[in-house]
């Protein structure tokens, strides 16, 4: 790796080329003289390159000068704009008193490490400074962010500061996600055409319809094949993901991929010497399809020092068991039965606090309702711990009902323009966390509960989108998001063992920003396993299984009305941080026996499920889902084969098991811990009868003849290497 040449303490001269390499990914940067660096390459590992090879790489990527264009080749810099020659969406949009800025950056210094580059630049005439950070994370995930500083004497309004990277011309197709409540993360694909595909979210939270990750890749890329480039913006407020292609080349590329925080009017107004830092924007390259990209995100998350390392405890959440109908005797009975089947964490959901008999009242009054809990929560807390379980508690601190003591005393605490209330949703409004007195009240109220009852876990909900957010006359989402992060961090610092779940009316706040301050996400309010198979599959494109809440609901899902078997519900919930959300006091002895066996299966498999590599082998049947987790040493693997609907073909489907060592011999057995596999076959495939020894190469290429499972059923395959 080359070191930058420095003239004096900060000034650079001459061309500089720096290559970052990690885990199969390379990033090649060039600075020509004082200009802002440009990315010559982000993608497949280029190997170790000599100075001569680095210079050649810069030379071969310099484009021709076409007719009717700028007179000299122009670079696509780290922050592209019109002064560079880029006529697409600019990386920076800012003005000073209405005067638009077109920066001509001068690079002052470059700090290069083994896996990071930090660039400092400025435009002294315009009175602005820029610091850009790029870092290759473990697993080859690239992240970048900008910090913009106001070095001028008057206010600087920042309207956009996005990270944009060049996209190779190989990319011809895009994929992102959309959705709604209880139907999150629905994939949508399209051809990558000229113009911009921009996914903006103004919901004040990540959103049920969030893009999650925006991918551009080679046409027809699949789970296991194709090259693709993906972007994820790590913020929990308003945000934008974008891909844009222009007919003219841009420093060797006609397209960019990136995004950033979506800023409303007045949200970022910098005084003299003030700065604004964009959220981290993550970029995932893969030459092994969607699975390869997902692995980069998972490796990054698992490499964090804050990543949960203790076994993820089996949860029982009381919501779908009792809803708001709290009764101490009922909940004590529920706790007894939960412990008897192997539950390790008991979470008391909504309904425990002052005035909370319906969803129309009480939200914001964070003290125990004496009418329902005359002795407080102490008896329940003691019983839960005596049974060997942790106690968790539901809260929704960012919201309040107009019918609450809190808002009757402090109507000005709502996140709204003075004298103007936004429309309510779920009979609640948003509190302005950026006001210090609001965050202080919430911290003291929650800290008191955690301290008094020994709470080990908070289910932190956020049950509505944010409408008309105003803070001190300016857009309020930016400050609200930072204030949320600060409140979460203050609680975690005060109670180091406390775990917090990000829930937002299900899966509406799932992003890498919130996961810097919490310990898991609630994937969806929809516990229907048929829906969950798809929701969990696409959530895992960003989030590993150990951070996704996945629960066994009742026989009839309250979101869809669909009835499903206990085996299908339980096997689907294995693929995550597992739990139960069901009134098990009404279960039969047979149902309790299945749940007890399932709890044992979860405890057995979670070391593998929560550390292994996720694989989704390509297969032709769109009405079946095949999901595998392969251990790091490839000695153990499990695959869940789920039938969502009846197949058109009566036989002939193969279950190909990939991600294994080709030269290893595996024992393949069907796990029947929860009962027999429900099939429509007169005679199931012979391999299902007894454990079978099969080479990894055969499993990947020939696969296993699939049984005709009943619709909305699943089977679990357990593989162990007997010879490596």
């Amino acid at each position: 790796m080359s070191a930058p040449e420095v003239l004096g303490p900060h000034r650079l001269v001459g061309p500089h080329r720096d290559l970052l390499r990690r885990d199969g990914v390379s990033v090649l940067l060039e600075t020509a003289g004082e200009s802002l660096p440009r990315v010559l390459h982000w993608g497949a590992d280029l190997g170790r390159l000599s100075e001569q090879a680095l210079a050649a790489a810069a030379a071969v990527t310099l484009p021709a000068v076409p007719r009717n264009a700028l007179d000299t080749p122009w670079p696509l810099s780290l922050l592209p704009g019109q002064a560079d020659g880029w006529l697409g969406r600019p990386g920076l949009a800012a003005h000073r008193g209405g005067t638009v800025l077109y920066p001509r950056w001068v690079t002052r210094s470059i700090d290069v490490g083994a896996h990071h580059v930090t660039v400092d630049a400025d435009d002294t005439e315009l009175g602005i400074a820029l610091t850009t950070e790029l870092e290759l994370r473990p697993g080859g995930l690239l992240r970048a962010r900008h910090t913009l500083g106001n070095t001028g004497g008057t206010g600087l309004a920042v309207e956009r500061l996005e990270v944009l990277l060049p996209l190779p011309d190989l990319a011809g197709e895009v994929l992102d996600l959309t959705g709604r409540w209880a139907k999150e993360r629905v994939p949508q694909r399209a051809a990558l055409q000229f113009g911009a595909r921009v996914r903006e979210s103004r919901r004040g939270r990540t959103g049920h319809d969030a893009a999650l990750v925006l991918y551009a890749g080679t046409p027809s890329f699949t789970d296991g094949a194709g090259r693709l480039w993906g972007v994820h913006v790590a913020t929990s407020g308003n945000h934008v993901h974008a891909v844009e292609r222009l007919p003219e080349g841009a420093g060797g590329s006609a397209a960019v991929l990136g995004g950033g925080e979506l800023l409303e009017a007045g949200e970022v107004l910098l005084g003299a010497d003030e700065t604004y830092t964009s959220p981290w924007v993550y970029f995932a390259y893969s030459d092994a399809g969607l699975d390869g990209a997902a692995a980069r995100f998972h490796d990054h998350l698992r490499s964090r020092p804050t990543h949960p390392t203790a076994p993820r405890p089996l949860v029982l959440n009381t919501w779908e068991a009792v809803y708001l109908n709290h009764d101490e005797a009922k909940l004590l009975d529920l706790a007894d039965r939960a412990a008897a089947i192997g539950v390790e964490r008991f979470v008391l959901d909504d309904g425990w606090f002052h005035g909370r008999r319906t969803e129309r009242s009480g939200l914001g009054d964070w003290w125990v309702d004496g009418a329902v809990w005359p002795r407080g929560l102490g008896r329940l807390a003691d019983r839960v711990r005596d049974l060997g379980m942790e106690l968790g508690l539901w809260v929704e601190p960012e919201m309040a009902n107009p019918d609450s003591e809190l808002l009757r005393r402090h109507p000005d605490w709502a996140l709204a323009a003075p004298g103007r209330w936004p429309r309510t949703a779920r009979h609640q409004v948003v509190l302005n966390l950026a006001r210090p007195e609001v965050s202080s009240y919430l911290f003291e109220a929650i800290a008191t509960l955690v301290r008094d009852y020994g709470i080990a876990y908070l289910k932190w909900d956020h049950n509505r989108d944010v409408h008309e957010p105003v803070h001190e006359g300016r857009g309020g989402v930016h400050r609200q998001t930072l204030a949320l992060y600060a409140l979460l961090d203050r609680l975690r610092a005060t109670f180091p063992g406390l775990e917090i779940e990000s829930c937002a009316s299900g899966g509406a706040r799932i992003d890498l920003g919130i996961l810097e301050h919490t310990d898991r996400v609630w994937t969806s309010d929809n516990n229907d396993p048929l829906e969950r198979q798809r929701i969990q599959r696409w959530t895992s494109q960003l989030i590993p299984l150990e951070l996704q809440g996945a629960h066994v609901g009742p026989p009839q899902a309250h979101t869809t009305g669909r009835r499903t078997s206990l085996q299908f519900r339980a096997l689907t919930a294995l693929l995550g941080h597992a739990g139960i959300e069901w009134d098990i006091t009404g279960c039969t002895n047979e149902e309790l026996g299945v749940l007890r066996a399932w709890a044992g299966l979860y405890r057995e498999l979670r070391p593998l499920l929560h550390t292994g590599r996720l694989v989704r082998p390509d297969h032709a049947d769109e009405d079946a889902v095949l999901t595998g987790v392969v251990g790091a040493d490839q000695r153990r693997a499990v695959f869940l084969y789920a039938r969502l609907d009846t197949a058109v073909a009566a036989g002939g489907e193969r279950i190909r098991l990939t991600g294994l060592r080709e030269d290893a011999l595996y024992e393949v057995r069907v796990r029947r811990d929860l009962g027999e596999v429900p099939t429509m076959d007169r005679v199931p495939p012979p391999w299902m009868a007894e454990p079978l020894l099969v080479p990894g190469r055969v499993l990947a290429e020939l696969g296993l003849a699939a049984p005709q499972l009943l619709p909305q059923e699943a089977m679990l395959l357990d593989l162990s290497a007997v010879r490596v």
Side-chain angles (χ1 to χ4, degrees), residues 315-321 334 345-349 394 459 501 551 580-582:
V315 175
L316 185 139
N317 183 280
T318 66
W319 178 243
E320 291 190 37
L334 189 62
R345 175 180 286 163
F346 186 90
V347 181
L348 184 66
D349 210 287
W394 179 94
K459 178 182 177 182
E501 173 187 83
H551 293 179
I580 301 168
E581 201 154 335
W582 179 16

Side-chain angles (χ1 to χ4, degrees), residues 185-470:
R185 286 169 289 288
V186 177
Q188 50 186 14
R189 300 178 74 130
L192 175 56
Q193 298 177 327
F194 291 113
R197 180 180 178 87
V198 181
R199 293 294 310 279
E200 294 184 344
S201 175
R202 290 183 171 84
R203 297 180 179 272
R205 57 180 181 174
T206 319
H208 291 106
D209 64 337
L212 197 72
V213 184
L214 171 60
Y215 287 108
T218 51
S220 302
F221 61 84
T222 66
D223 287 323
R227 299 177 67 182
L228 49 87
W229 297 260
V231 61
H232 169 80
V233 179
T235 183
S236 310
N238 294 339
H239 58 275
V240 58
H241 295 74
V243 58
E244 184 169 16
R245 169 171 283 168
L246 298 185
E248 303 90 358
S253 172
V256 294
L257 178 73
E261 185 176 16
L262 194 158
L263 299 173
E264 297 284 7
E267 282 203 279
V268 176
L269 181 60
L270 302 180
D273 299 322
E274 290 183 339
T275 62
Y276 163 70
T277 299
S278 73
W280 284 109
V281 181
Y282 288 80
F283 296 89
Y285 165 74
S286 171
D287 59 2
L290 290 162
D291 282 357
R296 299 207 188 279
F297 286 112
H298 298 177
D299 288 348
H300 156 71
L301 286 166
R302 289 170 173 171
S303 72
R304 302 170 303 153
T306 58
H307 191 74
T309 55
R312 300 291 78 215
L314 186 67
V315 175
L316 185 139
N317 183 280
T318 66
W319 178 243
E320 291 190 37
V322 300
Y323 295 101
L324 296 174
N325 303 315
H326 281 209
D327 175 80
E328 184 180 69
K330 169 80 171 184
L331 287 159
L332 289 171
D333 186 19
L334 189 62
D336 290 341
R337 293 177 183 250
I341 62 174
V343 168
E344 298 159 310
R345 175 180 286 163
F346 186 90
V347 181
L348 184 66
D349 210 287
D350 192 1
W352 57 268
F353 50 93
H354 178 69
R356 190 63 164 178
R357 303 283 58 81
T358 73
E359 67 175 14
R360 294 173 177 265
S361 63
L363 200 62
D365 298 342
W366 299 112
W367 57 89
V368 177
D369 192 324
V372 179
W373 297 90
R375 291 172 291 191
L377 299 179
R379 188 180 180 200
L380 177 67
D382 291 342
R383 176 74 68 85
V384 165
R385 280 189 289 274
D386 289 345
L387 291 167
M389 298 184 292
E390 298 176 353
L391 178 63
L393 192 66
W394 179 94
V395 292
E396 191 176 1
E398 297 154 85
M399 306 295 162
N401 292 124
D403 183 8
S404 65
E405 296 297 327
L406 179 71
L407 281 184
R408 277 189 284 272
R409 289 196 300 264
H410 303 287
D412 56 322
W413 283 13
L415 181 60
R420 297 173 68 96
W421 279 65
R423 300 177 68 174
T424 57
R426 291 195 56 165
H427 312 287
Q428 61 193 49
V429 299
V430 184
L431 294 176
N432 188 349
L433 270 60
R435 293 183 61 156
E437 64 271 31
V438 177
S439 284
S440 293
Y441 162 74
L442 293 172
F443 171 79
E444 293 299 336
I446 297 168
T448 298
L449 291 163
V450 173
R451 190 179 296 112
D452 288 354
Y453 296 112
I455 305 299
Y457 176 85
L458 291 174
K459 178 182 177 182
W460 189 293
D461 216 335
H462 184 291
N463 271 315
R464 60 158 295 172
D465 292 332
V466 181
H467 290 244
E468 303 176 69
V470 178

Side-chain angles (χ1 to χ4, degrees), residues 661-667 693-696 699 720-724:
R661 286 190 56 168
E662 291 188 350
D663 58 348
L665 188 65
Y666 289 91
E667 180 186 74
L693 297 180
V694 188
L699 290 169
S720 298
V722 298
R723 189 181 72 228
V724 178

